Amino acid sequence: MAKHKEFFKHLCRASRLGELKSGPTAVTGGFMHNMYQIETASGKYAIKLLNPQILKRPEALQNFLNSEIIANLASKKVPALAAHIIDGDSVQTLDGQFYLVFDWVEGTRLSPHEIQPFHCRQIGDILATLHGLEDTTALVSFEEVGEELAIDWDFYLHEGIEQGAEWVEHLQKNVDDLYSWHRQAIRSSNSLASKRVISHRDLDSKNVLWHDERPLVIDWESAGSIHPMQDLVETALYWSQDETGIVNQINFVSCIHAYEQKRGRSEVDWQRVLWYGCLGKLKWLEYNVKRSLQIESAGRTDQTKGTLQIVPTIDDLRTYTAQISRLLTWLHQKR
């Protein structure tokens, strides 16, 4: 722990935050990176230590830099928290550890049972504003949309059996559906790859802090280009699902309607949009299977985080796909 504190003392000096007065205090909630609160002579800050395993990917550092460019542009029009720019860069490094510095802000995340139509309307309005940001349109052309590759679930299943993984039975029971859902998602992705906008891409309730009923959008690391209707539906789902994944119609429609009041209705194949919604969940599942099997893991803690995500993600996929026909009915309703 003493070594850990020494690192943060050096970090404060390197980032010109002032002398460390208290902390670091771990902040819970992150699935991939580690967040800490510190207090210095100049104020309170949130420090995000980036997962070194993710930073090994060749495109990762540039993605973080691009996401903070988007966050800074977005903050001119929507309530957004961007990282500090220090010596011209948003991503800092010290002793091989990459990190981001944020102002510490007071606020709470809403749990599913706390979310009301009022909140959903605000989120729909924010998303519509994001999709209309002119300063970000040039960034779309710089982001390549790669071909979606098949996922070899049988390989992961075999590796899980070899290692005695606790999630093997659950994966085995659902493996045929995982292949089917992925085929549907890939077919849908081909038709949604052309029309894209720049957005947050993970506007979940965990990434919005509320203070006096006012939202602040945080954690922009997933920001990039996306089909606007895919982003709209995924965001509406984030804000309308209960703890079991069942969608509340009033909250779902409230988010969609607020968006359409600002951006208008789009003619789109909603069924393809909904099936495409499986893709992010499937990729998240694969990533966590890799963490659990230590194919892509930053250590024991990271491995445990991955293991704990596997069964809930499979269950989330099953709950989501079972509701597609009902969601289609709501999306086709005239408003």
Side-chain angles (χ1 to χ4, degrees), residues 108-320:
T108 57
R109 296 174 172 88
L110 298 178
S111 58
H113 73 271
E114 295 175 304
I115 296 172
Q116 301 297 319
F118 164 77
H119 301 113
C120 299
R121 288 193 293 271
Q122 287 197 65
I123 296 302
D125 185 81
I126 286 173
L127 192 70
T129 303
L130 277 179
H131 288 180
L133 290 178
E134 295 181 2
D135 291 344
T136 63
T137 52
L139 295 173
V140 176
S141 60
F142 291 109
E143 186 174 294
E144 294 184 8
V145 180
E147 181 183 356
E148 296 295 343
L149 302 175
I151 297 175
D152 191 348
W153 298 111
D154 287 315
F155 167 76
Y156 296 130
L157 185 57
H158 178 266
E159 291 297 307
I161 293 170
E162 288 286 308
Q163 295 186 28
E166 62 190 63
W167 41 261
V168 162
E169 184 178 349
H170 208 66
L171 183 65
Q172 193 164 33
K173 187 168 65 175
N174 292 279
V175 69
D176 290 340
D177 285 327
L178 292 175
Y179 279 117
S180 174
W181 296 333
H182 198 235
R183 284 193 297 270
Q184 291 265 38
I186 289 176
R187 279 197 293 268
S188 298
S189 72
N190 295 332
S191 65
L192 298 173
S194 55
K195 183 183 178 183
R196 300 174 77 83
V197 295
I198 291 293
S199 188
H200 184 280
R201 295 201 303 193
D202 192 20
L203 200 51
D204 193 343
S205 58
K206 72 179 183 297
N207 291 329
V208 180
L209 296 178
W210 296 83
H211 184 71
D212 292 336
E213 299 291 359
R214 294 193 301 271
L216 178 68
V217 182
I218 63 172
D219 287 344
W220 288 78
E221 64 198 56
S222 296
S225 70
I226 188 171
H227 190 281
M229 294 302 100
Q230 176 201 353
D231 198 29
L232 172 59
V233 168
E234 288 185 357
T235 301
L237 287 168
Y238 286 146
W239 289 86
S240 59
Q241 290 174 318
D242 66 16
E243 288 86 349
T244 66
I246 301 301
V247 182
N248 177 297
Q249 182 178 2
I250 295 174
N251 285 357
F252 181 80
V253 172
S254 293
C255 185
I256 300 283
H257 184 47
Y259 179 95
E260 291 179 343
Q261 281 186 314
K262 183 169 280 188
R263 298 283 292 172
R265 292 218 76 177
S266 290
E267 294 302 319
V268 67
D269 186 336
W270 289 114
Q271 184 159 315
R272 288 188 180 275
V273 171
L274 289 167
W275 276 111
Y276 194 20
C278 290
L279 199 56
K281 300 177 191 294
L282 289 161
K283 287 182 176 180
W284 176 244
L285 175 60
E286 183 186 26
Y287 170 62
N288 284 293
V289 169
K290 286 181 176 179
R291 294 164 91 186
S292 181
L293 295 172
Q294 293 189 293
I295 295 171
E296 187 173 328
S297 174
R300 182 69 65 182
T301 301
D302 197 42
Q303 180 188 23
T304 301
K305 285 182 178 180
T307 299
L308 291 174
Q309 288 294 309
I310 292 170
V311 170
T313 303
I314 293 173
D315 290 345
D316 180 40
L317 273 159
R318 183 159 295 286
T319 302
Y320 172 73

Side-chain angles (χ1 to χ4, degrees), residues 54-125:
I54 290 177
L55 266 296
K56 288 180 180 179
R57 301 172 186 172
E59 74 283 1
L61 181 57
Q62 191 58 53
N63 286 347
F64 278 110
L65 292 169
N66 289 346
S67 70
E68 285 303 319
I69 290 172
I70 294 168
N72 273 282
L73 290 170
S75 67
K76 299 174 183 177
K77 296 288 186 180
V78 301
L81 180 66
H84 284 211
I85 304 295
I86 302 170
D87 295 329
D89 289 317
S90 55
V91 180
Q92 313 302 317
T93 182
L94 178 65
D95 297 337
Q97 172 67 63
F98 289 91
Y99 65 94
L100 298 168
V101 178
F102 301 91
D103 290 326
W104 180 262
V105 292
E106 298 298 331
T108 57
R109 296 174 172 88
L110 298 178
S111 58
H113 73 271
E114 295 175 304
I115 296 172
Q116 301 297 319
F118 164 77
H119 301 113
C120 299
R121 288 193 293 271
Q122 287 197 65
I123 296 302
D125 185 81

